Amino acid sequence: DAGITQSPRHKVTETGTPVTLRCHQTENHRYMYWYRQDPGHGLRLIHYSYGVKDTDKGEVSDGYSVSRSKTEDFLLTLESATSSQTSVYFCAISEVRSPSGNTIYFGEGSWLTVV
Amino acid sequence: SQQGEEDPQALSIQEGENATMNCSYKTSINNLQWYRQNSGRGLVHLILIRSNEREKHSGRLRVTLDTSKKSSSLLITASRAADTASYFCATPSNTGKLIFGQGTTLQVKP
């Protein structure tokens, strides 16, 4: 298994509160990604990072921010959680940019419920 | 927007039978990947096929790619109960990001 740890694995929070999900990797891979997975939508990219302090938006970035101060850590923050952000969040890593053909490796997921 | 779309959405077979899942995509690609997701777990990479390849094998998995039809298929031969999972195809979008389909849920009955 790829060395990816997500925390927390499960969280219930109230609407309007800030939430931070952490992804930690031990593979020293350059690229890191945050996806969300919802029924009927599959996996959708939220944000990704191509290096320390280098991040870019994915297809569903509204309401989310990210930070990467170290190669091994990629944080996803919901500034003010809403019920529509109830989802399963997956962190992923890759050694090179995925379209060049390398595979990406996923963490085990973080289940977030916003009540 | 979805780049890859799997078909069927759900498939139920008996152990020992073969399972075939299809993926269609919209734009030209240089590779296509298949992933498996067990219930409550993250996705696991299965196989990557490049645009200049027509078929690729990995154990009981056989993947084909038809770039003229913009489609790929994943065949699992001699299925086992442990193959029960969701299977996703993934393709690079025109902006370079990896886009996943909604997946095919496979149930293999013992």
Side-chain angles (χ1 to χ4, degrees):
Chain A
D1 290 342
I4 306 169
T5 305
Q6 291 186 229
S7 60
R9 295 291 314 281
H10 298 270
K11 185 174 182 65
V12 179
T13 192
E14 293 186 348
T15 299
T17 61
V19 176
T20 295
L21 305 180
R22 180 181 182 240
C23 178
H24 179 79
Q25 60 144 330
T26 58
E27 306 297 322
N28 202 35
H29 282 3
R30 179 180 176 187
Y31 287 86
M32 299 186 76
Y33 312 81
W34 277 107
Y35 287 86
R36 60 177 289 175
Q37 185 175 30
D38 305 285
H41 293 280
L43 281 112
R44 293 179 291 176
L45 182 64
I46 304 170
H47 281 280
Y48 69 101
S49 169
Y50 46 94
V52 174
K53 297 185 179 179
D54 291 323
T55 65
D56 204 353
K57 296 179 179 180
E59 58 184 311
V60 289
S61 58
D62 288 349
Y64 302 94
S65 63
V66 290
S67 66
R68 191 167 178 201
S69 58
K70 297 184 289 184
T71 299
E72 57 266 35
D73 290 326
F74 192 33
L75 304 180
L76 176 71
T77 298
L78 290 66
E79 302 291 347
S80 178
T82 66
S83 59
S84 65
Q85 293 176 311
T86 292
S87 186
V88 184
Y89 292 85
F90 287 97
C91 174
I93 64 175
S94 69
E95 194 165 18
V96 296
R97 193 175 184 184
S98 53
S100 69
N102 280 41
T103 63
I104 65 174
Y105 302 92
F106 283 83
E108 291 296 287
S110 293
W111 274 253
L112 177 67
T113 302
V114 183
V115 298
Chain B
S1 60
Q2 296 292 336
Q3 166 73 318
E5 295 291 343
E6 290 91 346
D7 171 63
Q9 290 188 340
L11 182 59
S12 181
I13 60 174
Q14 293 295 133
E15 205 165 26
E17 295 179 340
N18 295 341
T20 300
M21 288 156 267
N22 302 296
C23 171
S24 60
Y25 57 92
K26 298 175 183 176
T27 61
S28 296
I29 57 172
N30 55 22
N31 70 82
L32 183 145
Q33 302 182 40
W34 284 91
Y35 287 78
R36 183 188 73 229
Q37 183 181 32
N38 290 89
S39 181
R41 305 295 297 275
L43 279 75
V44 175
H45 178 260
L46 292 176
I47 197 166
L48 180 152
I49 186 166
R50 301 189 189 280
S51 59
N52 61 352
E53 298 175 309
R54 291 295 170 260
E55 188 171 311
K56 200 165 184 178
H57 296 254
S58 177
R60 293 184 295 112
L61 306 181
R62 172 179 167 248
V63 170
T64 62
L65 179 64
D66 187 334
T67 53
S68 66
K69 295 181 180 179
K70 292 186 170 58
S71 68
S72 174
S73 67
L74 170 66
L75 168 67
I76 304 174
T77 60
S79 63
R80 306 166 182 169
D83 295 328
T84 293
S86 293
Y87 293 83
F88 296 85
C89 67
T91 54
S93 71
N94 54 8
T95 57
K97 301 176 183 63
L98 202 60
I99 303 297
F100 289 83
Q102 294 192 30
T104 292
T105 299
L106 172 65
Q107 181 184 26
V108 181
K109 300 176 184 176

